[in-house]
Amino acid sequence: MTRRDIFTDVAAILYPIPQPEPGEEHDDGFLAARDEAAEDQEHALENLRAAWDDGDQDPLIGALASARRAKEEAEQRIRELIAYGREFVQPRPYTLGDLAAAAGMSISGARTAYHHRDVAQVAEATGAKPREWRALDSEDTGQATA
């Protein structure tokens, strides 16, 4: 029985080599994308092996932790973009329906997706001033409600 190489497998999952559609086998765009993915896969393989050799991290656990961080960062960007669309765009904010559809959320999910801290981060990043906002809720102030 042949044993799988976890480093190669994790690199292949992180950077899959695209498969051509019929007739696309010789297309320059496809060939460039395939070559770029193969190069990214090789770099990932080298980095995974180096991290293991240095005793820093298991390749699978490290890849999962990295994917989780990327997911959390993407979720934060989504909250800030929704906050921007609702609190900064003038004269009328984007509708909750449009923002929810673009974010893959329900309307109520988009309505509650962001808080004062997200609005403050958008204001700091853009230098823009948000519209008048409702009273601080307990999650944003750190206080419990009765």
Side-chain angles (χ1 to χ4, degrees):
M1 184 162 122
T2 304
R3 196 165 166 204
R4 302 285 314 172
D5 179 52
I6 192 169
F7 302 100
T8 302
D9 289 347
V10 170
I13 292 167
L14 293 174
Y15 299 97
I17 305 294
Q19 300 301 310
E21 297 292 326
E24 188 182 45
E25 297 88 3
H26 302 293
D27 178 59
D28 288 342
F30 166 75
L31 294 174
R34 184 194 65 195
D35 292 345
E36 183 178 345
E39 189 174 304
D40 290 343
Q41 199 176 96
E42 185 60 35
H43 289 314
L45 179 59
E46 292 170 7
N47 290 337
L48 290 168
R49 285 193 195 281
W52 176 261
D53 290 342
D54 291 343
D56 290 344
Q57 67 184 205
D58 176 276
L60 180 59
I61 299 302
L64 280 169
S66 179
R68 186 196 77 238
R69 282 190 301 276
K71 177 184 169 187
E72 290 168 353
E73 290 168 3
E75 289 169 346
Q76 179 61 37
R77 280 192 303 276
I78 288 170
R79 287 191 299 274
E80 290 172 3
L81 289 167
I82 292 171
Y84 177 79
R86 291 297 293 168
E87 305 301 331
F88 292 85
V89 175
Q90 300 293 334
R92 267 191 300 204
Y94 280 79
T95 66
L96 285 168
D98 288 343
L99 295 171
M105 301 174 137
S106 66
I107 290 174
S108 62
R111 178 183 298 113
T112 61
Y114 66 96
H115 301 285
H116 287 280
R117 67 182 169 275
D118 302 309
V119 173
Q121 287 173 321
V122 171
E124 183 178 326
T126 64
K129 185 175 190 267
R131 67 182 177 88
E132 283 294 316
W133 233 57
R134 60 188 175 271
L136 287 176
D137 56 35
S138 61
E139 182 177 331
D140 291 325
T141 61
Q143 298 173 0
T145 56

